[in-house]
Amino acid sequence: MTKEEVEKKRAQERQVVHEIIAVYCRHHHNDRGEDGFCAECRDLAAYADLRLERCPRMAEKTFCSACPIHCYKPEMREKIRTVMRYGGPRMLLYHPMMTLRHMFLTWKAEKNGKLGKTGQGRTV
Ligand SMILES: [Zn+2]
């Protein structure tokens, strides 16, 4: 994978994560700002960005949800899992192609046994 491709993937994953958090926020929180996030979800999105920015496995892994390394701290991991569980399926409505691709890659990683037992840590 070239550096360019890695960066493209990073940007793509960031987009997916932001979209899902935005959907969750829209349906759960009222005090949203112009960017579509409330303070809590903005924090979560910023945290996800930071993790993606520092991810050393961007070239090998498919998405964070299909990665055996869980680099999120427990508190944030719990939050992002809740958000993904809610927003993941709904992404199919809004961005079917993006979501299907994501789901396929996650499924493929699981099939290859890269996720460990029973897909622990799986988000979407
Ligand atoms: Zn929110």
Side-chain angles (χ1 to χ4, degrees):
M1 227 183 195
T2 66
K3 204 169 185 296
E4 216 168 64
E5 285 169 332
V6 169
E7 286 317 309
K8 198 176 152 206
K9 192 146 147 257
R10 206 191 295 273
Q12 238 167 22
E13 174 148 359
R14 181 184 295 132
Q15 195 199 347
V16 175
V17 170
H18 276 215
E19 290 281 351
I20 296 178
I21 297 175
V23 167
Y24 179 84
C25 191
R26 203 150 56 218
H27 295 179
H28 288 85
H29 305 138
N30 293 314
D31 52 346
R32 295 188 307 278
E34 274 178 25
D35 56 0
F37 295 123
C38 70
E40 193 189 339
C41 294
R42 194 174 296 125
D43 269 5
L44 184 62
Y47 184 79
D49 275 358
L50 197 71
R51 299 322 309 174
L52 278 174
E53 210 56 62
R54 297 186 179 170
C55 178
R57 305 191 66 252
M58 197 44 77
E60 308 144 51
K61 72 174 188 143
T62 50
F63 284 94
C64 288
S65 49
C67 180
I69 299 179
H70 298 299
C71 65
Y72 281 52
K73 62 182 179 187
E75 183 202 342
M76 286 305 196
R77 197 174 145 196
E78 208 37 63
K79 269 189 200 177
I80 199 84
R81 282 177 78 168
T82 307
V83 167
M84 291 293 159
R85 216 173 291 140
Y86 178 85
R90 281 164 184 81
M91 287 296 286
L92 260 176
L93 290 174
Y94 303 121
H95 302 282
M97 285 323 289
M98 195 162 88
T99 312
L100 284 175
R101 188 170 161 270
H102 188 166
M103 282 163 69
F104 173 71
L105 290 171
T106 305
W107 170 79
K108 216 168 72 174
E110 269 183 357
K111 198 163 160 264
N112 292 340
K114 284 180 188 158
L115 274 188
K117 50 178 177 178
T118 64
Q120 240 182 2
R122 179 183 169 177
T123 46
V124 177

